[in-house]
Amino acid sequence: VNQMANLTLASSPCGMMSTVYASTKERHCYIRAMRHAAEKRVRSVTEATASCVQPVLTSLEPRVAAATEYVSKGLDKLGEKLPLLQKPMDQIISDTKELVSSRVADAKGAVSS
């Protein structure tokens, strides 16, 4: 999960959403109240389930480690084959706009000639 979150393509929109959430949650009193209540409930549910889930997690730890290694290698290969994953979202959007604009200009040129 950490490796996936560190991909620029994933972290860029997450960062933007986090910024929007942070600025919105303090600006609007209704959202602040709902956020506070939701975070409090999530915290209490997490604490309540942690003790029940811990024995299961301990028994699954070797399998989780093997799966993590497998996924990590897959993400490394994916990153090598798709360098787009390392670009920020703004750059991807800008590059896409340029590419589309260039193709449209080429098409217009071909049609007019």
Side-chain angles (χ1 to χ4, degrees):
V1 171
N2 287 335
Q3 189 175 0
M4 188 78 154
N6 287 332
L7 291 173
T8 308
L9 184 62
S11 64
S12 179
C14 288
M16 286 188 277
M17 291 302 295
S18 178
T19 302
V20 168
Y21 173 71
S23 66
T24 304
K25 74 179 183 181
E26 295 306 324
R27 214 176 294 150
H28 303 286
C29 62
Y30 296 118
I31 293 174
R32 183 175 40 237
M34 288 188 313
R35 175 197 56 89
H36 180 69
E39 287 177 358
K40 189 175 179 180
R41 284 197 180 111
V42 167
R43 199 174 306 115
S44 65
V45 168
T46 302
E47 290 169 359
T49 57
S51 61
C52 300
V53 173
Q54 190 57 47
V56 175
L57 291 177
T58 303
S59 69
L60 292 176
E61 194 169 349
R63 291 181 186 103
V64 170
T68 299
E69 185 177 340
Y70 179 75
V71 169
S72 179
K73 288 179 182 177
L75 285 173
D76 288 342
K77 287 181 182 178
L78 191 61
E80 291 170 10
K81 292 184 180 192
L82 294 172
L84 175 77
L85 295 175
Q86 300 301 331
K87 291 184 177 183
M89 184 62 88
D90 296 342
Q91 185 178 358
I92 293 170
I93 291 169
S94 173
D95 292 350
T96 302
K97 285 179 181 177
E98 285 180 33
L99 180 63
V100 169
S101 196
S102 169
R103 299 291 184 203
V104 168
D106 291 346
K108 282 182 180 178
V111 167
S112 65
S113 64

